[in-house]
Amino acid sequence: MDYESSVSLLTSKDKFYINLGLDRIQKILELLKNPQEKLKCIQVAGTNGKGSVCAILEAILRTAGYKTGLYTSPHIIEYTERIKIRGVNIPKEEFANYTEMITDLAGKNKIHLTEFEILTTVMFKYFADNKVDIAILETGLGGRFDATNVIIKNECAVITHIDLDHTDRLGDTKSKIAFEKSGIIKPNSAVITAEGYEVIKDKADEVGSLFVLAAPYVPDEYAQALPLKGQNQLENLALVLAVLKLKYKDLTSDTIIQGLKNVKHPCRFQYIKEKNMIIDGAHNPNGFEVLRENLDRYYPKIPKQYIFGCLSTKDYKKMINHIISDRCLKTLYFYEFNNPNACKYSVLSDVYPEGKKLKSIDDITFSDEVLTIVCGSFYMINELSLFS
């Protein structure tokens, strides 16, 4: 199996869907002699910010000399972006080899794995084979029944900001969603969070883990060193600093600052100077609220044109309302990307009839006078080929 074939398999109807639960991944990992048990892991869950927390923490620990493994989702361009060792993507050939080996083994044993379960198994096996010092794991969806939660212990758990998203699977209140996220808290460990939900405290007490409420303060020298901009990123950095204080007390300020300078996390309020364009992977109402706050802070009076597309399962009405409330809005383009769950132009235009249908990024005029904001689904960002 080559890389293209492995991607075709992962995105096939037979694999590309969500089916929460730990039974299937437990079975395949047992057949692989439980590579996850050879790893030290830090788990990160939350509605928004978990990918940034993982990226910041990994960059600092890598700079400090640790052989880091980083598992995140989704990817922007290539699947290999999701699995990194020391900041380097898993090679395509190895990705394909691991995928083929795991899917063949699953098929022979009649274990029907989803796309995310295959990827998570590839990650655990690849990290264990390469003997990483610390694996930083971003949960895919929720926490309690997410495939990454197959591990039975961790160095610590981190729970970022919680808001309403995936309510059909995780619950229709923040407390219910927090309960699902709290499922990553392991016995005799610790959980670090920025929000004091009772269900998270209760879970920590239940399993005998330390509950740490991260201080919101970030030293200015750290804030200045972080390339990721926005108040939300300072909140994410505060969580990382709390992890370091608890688990990596020997790291010097110089190491932390240099690590922060090494952080790379594309499509999070990322500015592309050549096109006067911001790309932001905001894909739920809270993400759009943060995006608007950052735009109002850094670009308060500049005319703006938005390119927006999302999955039909998302609260697109609230996201569109965040966009059209921008007093500097000049034009809103709707883009219907190639995905069976993509929100149709006809549906989006019902919310905002003035929205224009975008057929190609080539139809956009970029200029220094108008700021272009691309926001919504990562699938859309990928399809628009904004980094070519």
Side-chain angles (χ1 to χ4, degrees):
M1 182 183 292
D2 59 17
Y3 174 71
E4 288 71 22
S5 299
S6 67
V7 171
S8 295
L9 183 149
L10 290 168
T11 55
S12 66
K13 291 183 179 180
D14 191 44
K15 303 294 183 187
F16 198 70
Y17 64 94
I18 296 172
N19 187 11
L20 296 176
L22 301 178
D23 290 346
R24 297 174 300 278
I25 193 166
Q26 284 173 338
K27 290 177 181 177
I28 192 68
L29 287 171
E30 285 174 2
L31 293 173
L32 293 168
K33 299 182 180 179
N34 291 309
Q36 77 281 8
E37 294 182 2
K38 301 175 183 177
L39 301 170
K40 291 183 177 180
C41 301
I42 294 175
Q43 287 176 278
V44 184
T47 305
N48 290 313
K50 56 184 181 291
S52 295
V53 167
C54 289
I56 297 168
L57 183 57
E58 186 278 332
I60 293 172
L61 294 182
R62 170 164 41 93
T63 302
Y66 290 90
K67 187 176 185 179
T68 54
L70 177 64
Y71 183 51
T72 58
S73 60
H75 60 277
I76 308 300
I77 299 173
E78 300 286 358
Y79 263 102
T80 52
E81 298 166 26
R82 299 185 182 212
I83 302 171
K84 301 175 187 285
I85 292 180
R86 286 187 171 139
V88 178
N89 297 355
I90 180 174
K92 288 184 177 180
E93 183 179 358
E94 292 198 60
F95 181 90
N97 290 340
Y98 276 97
T99 299
E100 182 176 23
M101 180 266 292
I102 288 164
T103 53
D104 283 353
L105 184 62
K108 291 175 183 176
N109 289 275
K110 298 181 179 180
I111 305 170
H112 196 86
L113 301 175
T114 67
E115 172 230 24
F116 190 72
E117 289 167 340
I118 295 169
L119 291 169
T120 304
T121 306
V122 169
M123 174 271 298
F124 280 132
K125 179 68 172 154
Y126 179 63
F127 285 175
D129 287 350
N130 286 275
K131 297 180 173 61
V132 302
D133 297 325
I134 183 71
I136 300 166
L137 313 179
E138 177 187 358
T139 59
L141 177 60
R144 188 161 60 112
F145 295 121
D146 184 77
T148 60
N149 205 36
V150 71
I151 64 173
I152 58 176
K153 61 181 181 179
N154 59 29
E155 293 294 288
C156 68
V158 182
I159 300 178
T160 67
H161 177 70
I162 290 172
D163 214 294
L164 298 178
D165 197 16
H166 300 291
T167 53
D168 56 326
R169 298 178 184 273
L170 304 180
D172 57 2
T173 68
K174 291 183 183 181
S175 182
K176 289 178 181 178
I177 293 173
F179 173 77
E180 294 298 328
K181 309 293 185 185
S182 72
I184 70 170
I185 303 173
K186 298 295 185 283
N188 305 311
S189 184
V191 57
I192 299 166
T193 184
E195 300 169 332
Y197 285 92
E198 287 296 328
V199 291
I200 296 177
K201 293 180 182 178
D202 291 344
K203 181 64 176 182
D205 289 342
E206 176 189 329
V207 300
S209 281
L210 178 67
F211 176 88
V212 178
L213 194 61
Y217 171 73
V218 172
D220 187 62
E221 62 268 28
Y222 293 160
Q224 294 298 322
L226 180 64
L228 307 178
K229 300 305 178 185
Q231 182 61 37
N232 59 310
Q233 296 296 359
L234 296 182
E235 295 169 2
N236 294 330
L237 177 53
L239 286 169
V240 171
L241 295 177
V243 173
L244 299 180
K245 183 177 180 181
L246 180 69
K247 304 299 297 187
Y248 300 92
K249 299 178 181 179
D250 295 336
L251 293 190
T252 65
S253 295
D254 287 345
T255 298
I256 294 172
I257 290 171
Q258 186 56 51
L260 289 171
K261 291 179 180 179
N262 292 333
V263 173
K264 293 181 180 179
H265 198 39
C267 300
R268 276 73 176 184
F269 205 67
Q270 181 181 4
Y271 182 66
I272 309 297
K273 184 177 180 180
E274 296 77 14
K275 295 181 178 180
N276 193 26
M277 174 176 65
I278 286 175
I279 304 174
D280 194 285
H283 56 278
N284 55 42
N286 177 247
F288 268 76
E289 184 178 347
V290 171
L291 172 60
R292 279 297 316 283
E293 289 174 355
N294 287 334
L295 288 171
D296 291 345
R297 178 180 181 182
Y298 293 102
Y299 306 94
K301 298 180 180 180
I302 300 176
K304 300 176 183 70
Q305 59 181 358
Y306 287 80
I307 300 172
F308 172 74
C310 71
L311 296 175
S312 58
T313 54
K314 299 294 183 177
D315 193 342
Y316 54 86
K317 291 183 180 179
K318 286 187 178 179
M319 291 189 279
I320 292 173
N321 283 333
H322 276 300
I323 294 175
I324 62 178
S325 66
D326 188 341
R327 294 181 180 180
C328 295
L329 172 64
K330 182 180 178 183
T331 311
L332 171 54
Y333 295 94
F334 292 132
Y335 185 76
E336 184 180 319
F337 50 95
N338 183 26
N339 185 288
N341 294 319
C343 205
K344 303 295 184 183
Y345 168 76
S346 58
V347 174
L348 298 175
S349 60
D350 279 344
V351 181
Y352 185 65
E354 293 86 349
K356 296 183 179 181
K357 186 174 184 178
L358 181 66
K359 295 182 179 180
S360 169
I361 194 66
D362 294 332
D363 297 333
I364 294 293
T365 300
F366 296 99
S367 73
D368 293 337
E369 289 73 33
V370 178
L371 180 67
T372 301
I373 301 104
V374 183
C375 50
S377 173
F378 283 106
Y379 296 113
M380 177 191 69
I381 293 170
N382 184 344
E383 189 171 306
L384 288 173
S385 300
L386 299 171
F387 299 99
S388 59

